[in-house]
Amino acid sequence: MWYAIVGQDVPDSLALRIDARPAHLERLRALQTAGRLLLAGPFPAIDSVDPGPAGFSGSLIVAEFDTLAAAQSWAEADPYMAAGVYAHVSVKPFKKVLPA
């Protein structure tokens, strides 16, 4: 089943994000290689594709896991959690409808 993982950044997270990004992307690429990643990306803190020093306010990952517990465990082990980028992460089941 698909799960939406939403990470909410701590204030002024940009430097922490930059440091932890390679390890974070490595885990996402592993999901992608396994065919389990639907989409992933950050929420710019301002209305801009490149928010510059304003940074990001969080992230969205939609990926396939066997159970909600497995998705939560994966999210809790994310390098952004370990680095203190995320203040909070929520994980919810997701039903993809469109595009079909």
Side-chain angles (χ1 to χ4, degrees):
M1 178 168 197
W2 294 110
Y3 292 89
I5 300 168
V6 180
Q8 180 66 45
D9 282 24
V10 298
D12 301 315
S13 63
L14 187 57
L16 297 171
R17 271 182 170 270
I18 290 168
D19 288 345
R21 189 169 190 261
H24 173 75
L25 291 178
E26 183 178 328
R27 293 180 83 232
L28 290 172
R29 285 188 188 103
L31 285 177
Q32 183 178 20
T33 299
R36 297 173 42 210
L37 182 66
L38 183 61
L39 63 91
F43 299 118
I46 60 173
D47 189 13
S48 175
V49 172
D50 181 3
F56 301 92
S57 63
S59 302
L60 171 64
I61 299 163
V62 180
E64 188 175 34
F65 294 92
D66 291 333
T67 65
L68 177 59
Q72 289 170 326
S73 178
W74 187 92
E76 290 168 7
D78 192 282
Y80 279 0
M81 286 294 292
V85 173
Y86 293 151
H88 176 264
V89 174
S90 66
V91 181
K92 296 181 180 184
F94 179 81
K95 181 178 177 182
K96 181 181 178 286
V97 175
L98 294 173

